[in-house]
Amino acid sequence: MLFPEDTNFSNPSADGALERLTVPYTYKSECFHFVKKDFSKQFAFIYASRLEEMLKLLEASVQRKWGSEMPIKRLADLREDCPQKCVIIGTLFKHQELKPSILREISEENQLAPQPPRSHYTNDNDILILEDALQRIKLVGKIDVHSIVTGVVCAVMGYEESDGRFFVEDHIFYEGGPQKELQPLETSPLLVLMSGLNQTAANDFSPSLELLQQWVFGNLEGLVEGHDWEAASIVRIIIAGNSVKASSKPKNHLQSKVTTETDALLGAVKSVDSLIHNLAQSVPVDLMPGEFDPANHMLPQQAMHHCLFPRSVQFSAFKGVPNPYAFELADRYVVGTSGQNVQDVMRYSKIPNALEALRATLRWSHIVPTAPDTLPCYPYYQQDPFIIGDCPHVYFAGNVGEFSTELWTGANGQRTRLVCVPSFSENQSIAVVNLRTMECRKISFKMDGLEGGEE
């Protein structure tokens, strides 16, 4: 290790060595909190709520795209004997033969034909179907079945063919909604995004993590050209899920596997607590749960309980937050997830990489369109909190492999910085967003050198 385990990583600003920049912060994730836990509802209600809200949002987009004279109809109003060009707004459903099925799982138990394990479930025979509140219809024409997933609400323009299918001539999505105008900043506050710490044991800080801490505290200034001002400009650190990774291997044959797993999990949590305890003395830190963290599995994941982090909760700078997570920082609206939404979109489509999947969810104006179909989520009854009603300025996803970023321009002039945050345990790197210029780059903390540069 570069530094002893009991090293005191105190806030450098306490002795005047580092005066950290501060900017306004507003929490915007109330919609992802569980007010009450009622699991008696059917999941059909969340689709109904999604369609009802998106229907209102899309009507204005339809008029801008195709004019007020283009009629918006329900599926029940279509006539095969008198086809008329019109617009239908509904929820897309992909019929996929390779999609996991509980019936097939039961057949495996009965030693019938088993399903081969798969990481992707697309097939050339996939069919796209549009559903409104009453009926459904098969779609053909100018819409790519492999670039869309189940749960997306869109408006299709075309006509019903004689065989009962709807021929699509064009289609639109809500495209992220309106966006608050960016106000100029005199300073350059930095937002640090990291994910996938995958800690495994108490105080098991890798040298790369220790190097990261020293960079945050300003102890590397002068060692790396062009980075002298950065430490003081870091205004917030977001840890986007998968912070804990417990080992299931027993230490010896005398110990039970359950006891070993519990000990490993406790050690991993203590390791995360120690890291946040060090960072929170110097800079605000927000911890999001991920797929493998000790939190509820279905989305939205609630903040991990504060009793897991007894050392970190001593500091007001530490905040446990949900997944997804939304907030305003320096008048910039930021939304992000721990990556489950992006991974699931890639499983059920032919979208080739995480950045394109992240961009697609923004165009569809829905953070998790595949929930509750293939991703578990809470059975909301009167609302769908995952709808993107206001376009964010920064939209990120953690635990998605390699770092990638782009500045997305929407149909209505929105500009959003998309960021795919790499797993720190795999790449020893983080993403840093300059909230003044909206530029983003990767900084690597591999021990063969501190590498930072725009990607």
Side-chain angles (χ1 to χ4, degrees), residues 8 47 60 77 80 151 184 204-205 226 267 269 298 310 330 333-334 336 373 390 398 422:
N8 181 18
Y47 286 115
D77 298 329
E80 294 182 21
D204 184 24
F205 295 145
V269 172
M298 63 172 50
Y333 182 43
V334 183
D373 182 48
D390 297 315

Short mmCIF file of all heavy atoms in Angstrom, two decimals, residues 8 47 60 77 80 151 184 204-205 226 267 269 298 310 330 333-334 336 373 390 398 422:
data_model
loop_
_atom_site.label_atom_id
_atom_site.label_comp_id
_atom_site.label_asym_id
_atom_site.label_seq_id
_atom_site.Cartn_x
_atom_site.Cartn_y
_atom_site.Cartn_z
N ASN A 8 -4.55 9.49 8.51
CA ASN A 8 -5.65 10.43 8.74
C ASN A 8 -5.79 11.34 7.54
O ASN A 8 -5.03 12.28 7.35
CB ASN A 8 -5.37 11.24 10.01
CG ASN A 8 -6.51 12.21 10.29
OD1 ASN A 8 -7.60 12.04 9.77
ND2 ASN A 8 -6.22 13.20 11.12
N TYR A 47 -48.06 0.81 -16.69
CA TYR A 47 -48.12 1.05 -18.13
C TYR A 47 -49.25 2.03 -18.47
O TYR A 47 -49.09 2.90 -19.32
CB TYR A 47 -48.33 -0.26 -18.88
CG TYR A 47 -47.11 -1.13 -18.95
CD1 TYR A 47 -47.08 -2.38 -18.33
CD2 TYR A 47 -45.96 -0.73 -19.64
CE1 TYR A 47 -45.96 -3.20 -18.38
CE2 TYR A 47 -44.84 -1.54 -19.70
CZ TYR A 47 -44.84 -2.77 -19.07
OH TYR A 47 -43.73 -3.57 -19.13
N ALA A 60 -48.43 17.64 -28.36
CA ALA A 60 -47.82 18.87 -28.87
C ALA A 60 -46.71 18.57 -29.86
O ALA A 60 -46.56 19.26 -30.88
CB ALA A 60 -47.29 19.71 -27.71
N ASP A 77 -60.61 3.28 -33.51
CA ASP A 77 -61.21 4.10 -34.55
C ASP A 77 -60.71 3.76 -35.95
O ASP A 77 -61.20 4.31 -36.94
CB ASP A 77 -60.96 5.59 -34.27
CG ASP A 77 -61.58 6.03 -32.96
OD1 ASP A 77 -62.63 5.46 -32.59
OD2 ASP A 77 -61.03 6.94 -32.31
N GLU A 80 -60.29 -0.80 -41.63
CA GLU A 80 -59.56 -1.48 -42.70
C GLU A 80 -60.13 -1.16 -44.07
O GLU A 80 -59.40 -1.03 -45.05
CB GLU A 80 -59.60 -3.00 -42.48
CG GLU A 80 -58.85 -3.46 -41.24
CD GLU A 80 -58.89 -4.97 -41.12
OE1 GLU A 80 -59.13 -5.64 -42.14
OE2 GLU A 80 -58.70 -5.50 -40.01
N GLY A 151 -41.93 -1.17 -23.76
CA GLY A 151 -42.21 -0.15 -22.76
C GLY A 151 -42.04 1.28 -23.23
O GLY A 151 -42.39 2.21 -22.52
N PRO A 184 -24.62 31.20 -17.21
CA PRO A 184 -23.15 31.21 -17.23
C PRO A 184 -22.58 31.18 -15.82
O PRO A 184 -23.15 31.75 -14.87
CB PRO A 184 -22.82 32.52 -17.94
CG PRO A 184 -24.03 33.38 -17.78
CD PRO A 184 -25.20 32.45 -17.74
N ASP A 204 -9.55 -2.68 2.41
CA ASP A 204 -8.87 -3.23 1.25
C ASP A 204 -8.78 -2.17 0.16
O ASP A 204 -9.26 -2.35 -0.95
CB ASP A 204 -9.63 -4.46 0.73
CG ASP A 204 -8.90 -5.14 -0.43
OD1 ASP A 204 -7.68 -4.95 -0.53
OD2 ASP A 204 -9.57 -5.83 -1.21
N PHE A 205 -8.17 -1.02 0.49
CA PHE A 205 -8.03 0.05 -0.48
C PHE A 205 -6.86 -0.28 -1.42
O PHE A 205 -5.74 -0.48 -0.99
CB PHE A 205 -7.77 1.38 0.20
CG PHE A 205 -8.92 1.86 1.05
CD1 PHE A 205 -8.68 2.54 2.21
CD2 PHE A 205 -10.23 1.60 0.68
CE1 PHE A 205 -9.72 2.98 3.00
CE2 PHE A 205 -11.28 2.03 1.45
CZ PHE A 205 -11.03 2.73 2.63
N GLY A 226 -1.14 20.71 -15.48
CA GLY A 226 -2.48 21.13 -15.86
C GLY A 226 -3.55 20.75 -14.88
O GLY A 226 -4.73 21.05 -15.08
N GLY A 267 -17.13 -7.01 5.80
CA GLY A 267 -15.82 -6.42 5.54
C GLY A 267 -15.85 -5.46 4.37
O GLY A 267 -15.23 -4.39 4.39
N VAL A 269 -18.50 -3.73 3.28
CA VAL A 269 -19.22 -2.52 3.68
C VAL A 269 -18.33 -1.62 4.52
O VAL A 269 -18.32 -0.39 4.37
CB VAL A 269 -20.51 -2.89 4.43
CG1 VAL A 269 -21.17 -1.65 5.03
CG2 VAL A 269 -21.49 -3.59 3.50
N MET A 298 -35.46 -4.22 -6.51
CA MET A 298 -36.31 -3.61 -7.53
C MET A 298 -36.12 -2.09 -7.57
O MET A 298 -35.80 -1.45 -6.57
CB MET A 298 -37.79 -3.96 -7.32
CG MET A 298 -38.39 -3.46 -6.03
SD MET A 298 -40.17 -3.74 -5.97
CE MET A 298 -40.31 -5.46 -6.40
N PRO A 310 -21.36 3.70 9.78
CA PRO A 310 -21.32 4.46 11.05
C PRO A 310 -20.27 5.55 11.08
O PRO A 310 -20.46 6.57 11.75
CB PRO A 310 -21.03 3.37 12.09
CG PRO A 310 -20.38 2.25 11.32
CD PRO A 310 -21.01 2.27 9.97
N ALA A 330 -25.04 23.63 -9.12
CA ALA A 330 -24.61 24.83 -9.84
C ALA A 330 -25.59 25.19 -10.95
O ALA A 330 -25.19 25.57 -12.05
CB ALA A 330 -23.20 24.66 -10.39
N TYR A 333 -29.10 20.58 -14.07
CA TYR A 333 -29.96 19.45 -13.69
C TYR A 333 -29.26 18.15 -14.08
O TYR A 333 -28.92 17.95 -15.25
CB TYR A 333 -31.31 19.58 -14.37
CG TYR A 333 -32.31 18.50 -14.01
CD1 TYR A 333 -32.47 18.06 -12.70
CD2 TYR A 333 -33.12 17.92 -14.99
CE1 TYR A 333 -33.39 17.09 -12.37
CE2 TYR A 333 -34.05 16.94 -14.67
CZ TYR A 333 -34.18 16.53 -13.36
OH TYR A 333 -35.10 15.55 -13.04
N VAL A 334 -29.04 17.28 -13.10
CA VAL A 334 -28.28 16.04 -13.32
C VAL A 334 -29.16 14.84 -12.96
O VAL A 334 -29.80 14.83 -11.91
CB VAL A 334 -27.00 16.03 -12.45
CG1 VAL A 334 -26.17 14.77 -12.75
CG2 VAL A 334 -26.17 17.28 -12.70
N GLY A 336 -29.05 10.39 -13.11
CA GLY A 336 -28.20 9.25 -13.38
C GLY A 336 -28.69 7.98 -12.73
O GLY A 336 -29.57 7.99 -11.87
N ASP A 373 -41.21 -5.01 -17.35
CA ASP A 373 -41.24 -6.20 -18.21
C ASP A 373 -40.04 -7.12 -17.93
O ASP A 373 -40.22 -8.32 -17.66
CB ASP A 373 -41.26 -5.78 -19.67
CG ASP A 373 -41.34 -6.96 -20.62
OD1 ASP A 373 -42.20 -7.83 -20.40
OD2 ASP A 373 -40.54 -7.02 -21.57
N ASP A 390 -38.44 16.71 -17.79
CA ASP A 390 -37.53 17.83 -18.05
C ASP A 390 -36.18 17.27 -18.45
O ASP A 390 -35.62 16.40 -17.77
CB ASP A 390 -37.39 18.72 -16.81
CG ASP A 390 -38.71 19.37 -16.41
OD1 ASP A 390 -39.40 19.87 -17.31
OD2 ASP A 390 -39.04 19.35 -15.21
N GLY A 398 -23.72 4.36 -14.50
CA GLY A 398 -22.52 3.74 -13.97
C GLY A 398 -22.42 2.27 -14.35
O GLY A 398 -23.34 1.68 -14.89
N PRO A 422 -17.09 4.36 -16.10
CA PRO A 422 -16.45 3.04 -16.04
C PRO A 422 -16.46 2.47 -14.63
O PRO A 422 -16.63 3.18 -13.64
CB PRO A 422 -15.03 3.33 -16.52
CG PRO A 422 -14.79 4.76 -16.13
CD PRO A 422 -16.12 5.45 -16.29
#
